[in-house]
Amino acid sequence: MKVSDRPDDTLITYALGSCLGVTIYDPVVRVGGLLHAMLPLSEVSPERASEKPWMFVDTGIPLLFRESYKYGARKERMWVGVSGGARLRESERDCFEIGKRNILMLRKLLWRNGVLLRAEDVGGTRSRNMSLNLESGCVTVFTYNGEKGKETRVYECR
């Protein structure tokens, strides 16, 4: 997890399979953050959650927002984007459904706190990379689609 108010920063995370990349951005003060969360619930490993709360959606999302508030961001102005939550084993049954559960936990937390998603690129069977440019607020998602090569999508520019 990283939060910044430096306009020359671009926050990037790689290899979002079943993990979620969550960006937040306040366009007024140009504060943004990026979280790479691996699992939906911290209760599976309380000791790890206390050491690394950003690993879990249920503890990482509140931490991401709280850290952005220290830089002057406000919840009501926040743009939220998400990417990842894939099921990478197309041919096998995914009995744990981590990607799906990560997405559901994120939506539940946001809904409970009155925050809307403005952009999402979730599900499917491909890994993604995600970046947030703090000067423009642009969220870029890169997906590698085998023979088609790299696919790039840009969301939420001012």
Side-chain angles (χ1 to χ4, degrees), residues 65-86:
F65 275 81
R66 282 194 307 271
E67 286 299 309
S68 75
Y69 300 154
K70 293 177 184 178
Y71 291 88
R74 296 186 47 189
K75 181 175 80 168
E76 60 272 10
R77 297 188 305 233
M78 209 70 77
W79 295 352
V80 181
V82 61
S83 184

Side-chain angles (χ1 to χ4, degrees), residues 38-55:
M38 297 171 55
L39 295 168
L41 292 169
S42 58
E43 67 189 24
V44 299
S45 181
E47 66 222 20
R48 183 165 273 187
S50 68
E51 294 169 16
K52 300 178 181 179
W54 55 85
M55 289 180 59

Side-chain angles (χ1 to χ4, degrees), residues 13-144:
T13 193
Y14 300 96
L16 294 167
S18 60
C19 298
L20 290 185
V22 180
T23 59
I24 60 173
Y25 184 73
D26 181 331
V28 173
V29 293
R30 292 188 182 174
V31 169
L34 176 61
L35 170 73
H36 184 137
M38 297 171 55
L39 295 168
L41 292 169
S42 58
E43 67 189 24
V44 299
S45 181
E47 66 222 20
R48 183 165 273 187
S50 68
E51 294 169 16
K52 300 178 181 179
W54 55 85
M55 289 180 59
F56 304 92
V57 176
D58 69 333
T59 52
I61 295 299
L63 179 62
L64 181 65
F65 275 81
R66 282 194 307 271
E67 286 299 309
S68 75
Y69 300 154
K70 293 177 184 178
Y71 291 88
R74 296 186 47 189
K75 181 175 80 168
E76 60 272 10
R77 297 188 305 233
M78 209 70 77
W79 295 352
V80 181
V82 61
S83 184
R87 181 181 47 85
L88 297 180
R89 293 196 174 109
E90 235 177 306
S91 60
E92 296 179 28
R93 187 171 160 231
D94 182 4
C95 61
F96 294 109
E97 296 186 324
I98 299 297
K100 182 178 180 179
R101 291 174 43 222
N102 280 338
I103 295 164
L104 290 172
M105 177 54 63
L106 173 68
R107 287 185 175 140
K108 180 179 179 181
L109 281 171
L110 294 178
W111 178 80
R112 193 181 313 153
N113 289 284
V115 178
L116 298 176
L117 275 172
R118 287 184 59 145
E120 64 180 89
D121 187 345
V122 296
T125 58
R126 301 282 183 199
S127 181
R128 299 163 173 95
N129 298 337
M130 182 182 204
S131 69
L132 169 64
N133 178 290
L134 290 179
E135 184 171 2
S136 66
C138 288
V139 175
T140 306
V141 178
F142 305 92
T143 306
Y144 296 92

